[in-house]
Amino acid sequence: MGHLGRAARKRRGTTAAASFVRLESLEVRALLSAASAGACAATELSLQSTSLPAQAAFAPQQIRTAYGFDQVSFGAAAVPADGSGQTIAIVDAYSDPNLAADLHVFDQQFGLSDPPSLQQVNQTGGSQLPPANSGWAGEISLDVEWAHAMAPAANILLVEANSSALDDLLAAVNSARNTAGVSVISMSWGSAEFYGEHSLDSLFTTPAGHQGV
Protein backbone atom coordinates (compact mmCIF):
# COMPACT_ATOMS: atom_id res chain seq x y z
CA MET A 1 0.00 0.00 0.00
CA GLY A 2 2.79 2.39 0.86
CA HIS A 3 4.42 1.70 -2.50
CA LEU A 4 1.14 2.36 -4.31
CA GLY A 5 0.76 5.64 -2.48
CA ARG A 6 4.22 6.75 -3.50
CA ALA A 7 3.62 5.60 -7.09
CA ALA A 8 0.47 7.68 -7.22
CA ARG A 9 2.24 10.67 -5.74
CA LYS A 10 5.09 10.48 -8.27
CA ARG A 11 2.68 10.36 -11.17
CA ARG A 12 0.54 13.33 -10.24
CA GLY A 13 3.17 16.06 -10.20
CA THR A 14 3.41 19.00 -12.57
CA THR A 15 6.31 21.07 -13.77
CA ALA A 16 6.25 24.71 -12.69
CA ALA A 17 7.70 25.97 -15.98
CA ALA A 18 5.18 24.21 -18.23
CA SER A 19 1.49 24.76 -18.82
CA PHE A 20 0.74 21.07 -19.33
CA VAL A 21 0.60 18.09 -17.00
CA ARG A 22 3.22 15.43 -17.62
CA LEU A 23 1.82 11.95 -16.95
CA GLU A 24 3.78 8.74 -17.14
CA SER A 25 2.19 5.43 -18.07
CA LEU A 26 2.10 2.89 -15.25
CA GLU A 27 3.76 -0.46 -15.68
CA VAL A 28 1.65 -3.42 -16.82
CA ARG A 29 0.97 -5.58 -13.76
CA ALA A 30 0.09 -9.27 -13.60
CA LEU A 31 -2.96 -9.97 -11.44
CA LEU A 32 -2.75 -11.70 -8.09
CA SER A 33 -3.22 -15.45 -7.97
CA ALA A 34 -6.66 -14.96 -6.40
CA ALA A 35 -8.00 -13.40 -9.59
CA SER A 36 -10.80 -15.22 -11.34
CA ALA A 37 -9.82 -17.53 -14.19
CA GLY A 38 -9.45 -15.89 -17.55
CA ALA A 39 -8.97 -12.41 -16.15
CA CYS A 40 -6.82 -10.19 -18.28
CA ALA A 41 -3.55 -8.69 -17.19
CA ALA A 42 -3.90 -5.29 -15.57
CA THR A 43 -4.56 -2.59 -18.10
CA GLU A 44 -1.86 -0.02 -18.61
CA LEU A 45 -3.15 3.41 -17.72
CA SER A 46 -2.80 5.95 -20.49
CA LEU A 47 -4.22 9.47 -20.28
CA GLN A 48 -4.08 12.38 -22.66
CA SER A 49 -2.50 15.29 -20.82
CA THR A 50 -4.40 17.77 -22.98
CA SER A 51 -7.69 16.66 -21.39
CA LEU A 52 -6.57 17.39 -17.84
CA PRO A 53 -6.39 20.76 -16.08
CA ALA A 54 -3.30 21.91 -14.23
CA GLN A 55 -2.77 20.18 -10.87
CA ALA A 56 -4.79 17.15 -12.02
CA ALA A 57 -4.21 13.92 -10.09
CA PHE A 58 -5.00 10.27 -10.65
CA ALA A 59 -8.24 9.22 -8.98
CA PRO A 60 -8.40 6.06 -6.83
CA GLN A 61 -10.41 4.14 -9.43
CA GLN A 62 -7.80 4.90 -12.08
CA ILE A 63 -5.05 3.50 -9.87
CA ARG A 64 -7.14 0.45 -8.94
CA THR A 65 -7.69 -0.19 -12.65
CA ALA A 66 -4.05 0.43 -13.59
CA TYR A 67 -2.83 -2.17 -11.09
CA GLY A 68 -5.70 -4.58 -11.70
CA PHE A 69 -7.13 -4.36 -8.19
CA ASP A 70 -10.64 -3.99 -9.59
CA GLN A 71 -10.27 -7.35 -11.37
CA VAL A 72 -9.39 -9.38 -8.27
CA SER A 73 -12.06 -11.45 -6.52
CA PHE A 74 -12.16 -14.43 -4.19
CA GLY A 75 -14.02 -17.73 -4.35
CA ALA A 76 -16.76 -19.04 -6.59
CA ALA A 77 -19.03 -16.21 -5.46
CA ALA A 78 -16.51 -13.70 -6.87
CA VAL A 79 -16.37 -11.69 -3.65
CA PRO A 80 -14.66 -8.34 -4.40
CA ALA A 81 -11.17 -7.87 -2.98
CA ASP A 82 -12.01 -4.59 -1.27
CA GLY A 83 -10.49 -5.32 2.14
CA SER A 84 -13.72 -6.38 3.82
CA GLY A 85 -13.04 -7.94 7.21
CA GLN A 86 -9.35 -6.97 7.13
CA THR A 87 -7.37 -4.48 9.20
CA ILE A 88 -4.46 -2.56 7.69
CA ALA A 89 -1.93 -1.29 10.23
CA ILE A 90 0.16 1.66 9.05
CA VAL A 91 3.36 2.57 10.88
CA ASP A 92 4.64 6.16 10.83
CA ALA A 93 6.36 8.55 13.21
CA TYR A 94 4.80 11.33 15.29
CA SER A 95 1.12 12.26 15.02
CA ASP A 96 -1.27 13.76 12.49
CA PRO A 97 -4.06 15.46 14.48
CA ASN A 98 -6.05 16.27 11.31
CA LEU A 99 -5.97 12.77 9.87
CA ALA A 100 -9.66 11.89 10.27
CA ALA A 101 -10.85 15.21 8.87
CA ASP A 102 -8.42 15.08 5.95
CA LEU A 103 -9.38 11.50 5.10
CA HIS A 104 -13.06 12.48 5.09
CA VAL A 105 -12.35 15.29 2.61
CA PHE A 106 -10.34 12.85 0.45
CA ASP A 107 -13.25 10.40 0.49
CA GLN A 108 -15.76 13.10 -0.46
CA GLN A 109 -13.52 14.30 -3.29
CA PHE A 110 -13.30 10.83 -4.84
CA GLY A 111 -16.71 9.42 -3.96
CA LEU A 112 -15.49 6.93 -1.35
CA SER A 113 -17.17 5.91 1.88
CA ASP A 114 -15.28 6.49 5.11
CA PRO A 115 -13.48 3.34 6.33
CA PRO A 116 -15.43 1.08 8.71
CA SER A 117 -12.93 2.00 11.42
CA LEU A 118 -10.04 4.49 11.67
CA GLN A 119 -8.00 4.31 14.86
CA GLN A 120 -4.82 6.11 15.91
CA VAL A 121 -2.66 4.66 18.68
CA ASN A 122 0.84 5.25 20.00
CA GLN A 123 3.77 2.87 19.55
CA THR A 124 2.61 0.62 22.37
CA GLY A 125 -1.06 0.63 21.36
CA GLY A 126 -2.10 3.28 23.87
CA SER A 127 -4.32 6.31 23.38
CA GLN A 128 -1.81 9.01 24.42
CA LEU A 129 -0.49 10.05 21.02
CA PRO A 130 2.99 11.46 20.28
CA PRO A 131 3.49 15.13 19.39
CA ALA A 132 2.28 16.36 16.02
CA ASN A 133 4.79 16.87 13.22
CA SER A 134 3.79 18.70 10.05
CA GLY A 135 6.39 16.93 7.91
CA TRP A 136 5.31 13.45 8.90
CA ALA A 137 1.63 14.46 8.80
CA GLY A 138 1.82 14.71 5.02
CA GLU A 139 3.30 11.22 4.78
CA ILE A 140 0.71 9.85 7.22
CA SER A 141 -2.16 11.32 5.20
CA LEU A 142 -0.73 9.91 1.97
CA ASP A 143 -0.28 6.45 3.47
CA VAL A 144 -3.72 6.28 5.06
CA GLU A 145 -5.65 7.82 2.16
CA TRP A 146 -4.19 5.50 -0.47
CA ALA A 147 -4.38 2.38 1.67
CA HIS A 148 -8.06 3.22 2.08
CA ALA A 149 -8.46 3.98 -1.62
CA MET A 150 -7.08 0.55 -2.61
CA ALA A 151 -8.98 -1.37 0.10
CA PRO A 152 -11.99 0.85 0.90
CA ALA A 153 -13.77 -1.69 3.10
CA ALA A 154 -10.77 -2.41 5.35
CA ASN A 155 -10.30 -1.07 8.86
CA ILE A 156 -7.34 1.30 9.28
CA LEU A 157 -5.07 1.27 12.34
CA LEU A 158 -2.41 3.99 12.41
CA VAL A 159 0.41 3.19 14.83
CA GLU A 160 2.33 6.39 15.57
CA ALA A 161 5.87 6.06 16.89
CA ASN A 162 7.06 8.54 19.49
CA SER A 163 9.74 9.77 17.08
CA SER A 164 11.52 8.83 13.88
CA ALA A 165 14.27 7.09 15.87
CA LEU A 166 14.70 3.48 14.77
CA ASP A 167 13.97 2.08 18.22
CA ASP A 168 10.63 3.90 18.35
CA LEU A 169 9.65 2.86 14.83
CA LEU A 170 10.51 -0.76 15.56
CA ALA A 171 8.44 -0.61 18.75
CA ALA A 172 5.52 0.56 16.62
CA VAL A 173 6.09 -2.31 14.16
CA ASN A 174 6.05 -4.79 17.02
CA SER A 175 2.83 -3.31 18.36
CA ALA A 176 1.20 -3.39 14.91
CA ARG A 177 2.02 -7.03 14.24
CA ASN A 178 0.73 -8.09 17.65
CA THR A 179 -2.58 -6.23 17.43
CA ALA A 180 -5.54 -8.58 17.08
CA GLY A 181 -7.17 -8.53 13.67
CA VAL A 182 -4.26 -6.95 11.80
CA SER A 183 -3.64 -8.79 8.53
CA VAL A 184 -1.61 -6.20 6.60
CA ILE A 185 1.15 -3.83 7.74
CA SER A 186 2.36 -0.93 5.62
CA MET A 187 5.15 1.50 6.46
CA SER A 188 6.86 4.35 4.64
CA TRP A 189 10.21 4.62 6.33
CA GLY A 190 13.59 2.98 6.10
CA SER A 191 17.18 3.19 7.25
CA ALA A 192 20.65 2.55 5.93
CA GLU A 193 21.83 -1.04 6.14
CA PHE A 194 23.97 -1.86 9.15
CA TYR A 195 25.89 -4.79 10.58
CA GLY A 196 23.70 -7.11 12.64
CA GLU A 197 20.40 -5.88 11.25
CA HIS A 198 19.32 -9.50 10.78
CA SER A 199 18.74 -9.53 14.53
CA LEU A 200 15.59 -7.51 13.84
CA ASP A 201 14.10 -10.09 11.46
CA SER A 202 11.80 -11.47 14.15
CA LEU A 203 9.94 -8.15 14.26
CA PHE A 204 8.88 -8.66 10.65
CA THR A 205 7.16 -12.02 11.14
CA THR A 206 3.66 -13.07 12.14
CA PRO A 207 3.51 -13.64 15.93
CA ALA A 208 2.67 -17.14 17.15
CA GLY A 209 -1.08 -17.73 17.36
CA HIS A 210 -1.84 -14.64 15.26
CA GLN A 211 -3.62 -14.67 11.92
CA GLY A 212 -1.29 -14.37 8.95
CA VAL A 213 0.18 -10.94 8.35
Side-chain angles (χ1 to χ4, degrees), residues 160-183:
E160 299 177 330
N162 291 342
S163 74
S164 57
L166 185 59
D167 285 348
D168 286 339
L169 288 166
L170 291 175
V173 171
N174 192 45
S175 178
R177 75 188 187 102
N178 279 286
T179 300
V182 168
S183 54

Side-chain angles (χ1 to χ4, degrees), residues 30 36 64 70 75 98 134-135 158 163 173-174 180 197 201 204 207:
S36 57
R64 286 180 58 84
D70 59 348
N98 300 317
S134 59
L158 175 64
S163 74
V173 171
N174 192 45
E197 66 180 34
D201 288 354
F204 298 92

Side-chain angles (χ1 to χ4, degrees), residues 78-175:
V79 176
D82 59 3
S84 297
Q86 307 299 309
T87 297
I88 302 171
I90 296 173
V91 177
D92 278 305
Y94 299 105
S95 186
D96 179 3
N98 300 317
L99 176 62
D102 288 348
L103 178 59
H104 182 66
V105 171
F106 178 88
D107 290 342
Q108 288 185 316
Q109 175 68 30
F110 293 111
L112 299 172
S113 299
D114 291 334
S117 172
L118 173 63
Q119 185 179 8
Q120 291 173 259
V121 298
N122 63 27
Q123 66 184 38
T124 59
S127 59
Q128 186 171 350
L129 301 180
N133 180 285
S134 59
W136 275 85
E139 185 66 32
I140 289 171
S141 290
L142 177 70
D143 294 346
V144 171
E145 287 167 3
W146 281 93
H148 174 55
M150 295 302 102
N155 301 309
I156 303 291
L157 172 68
L158 175 64
V159 184
E160 299 177 330
N162 291 342
S163 74
S164 57
L166 185 59
D167 285 348
D168 286 339
L169 288 166
L170 291 175
V173 171
N174 192 45
S175 178

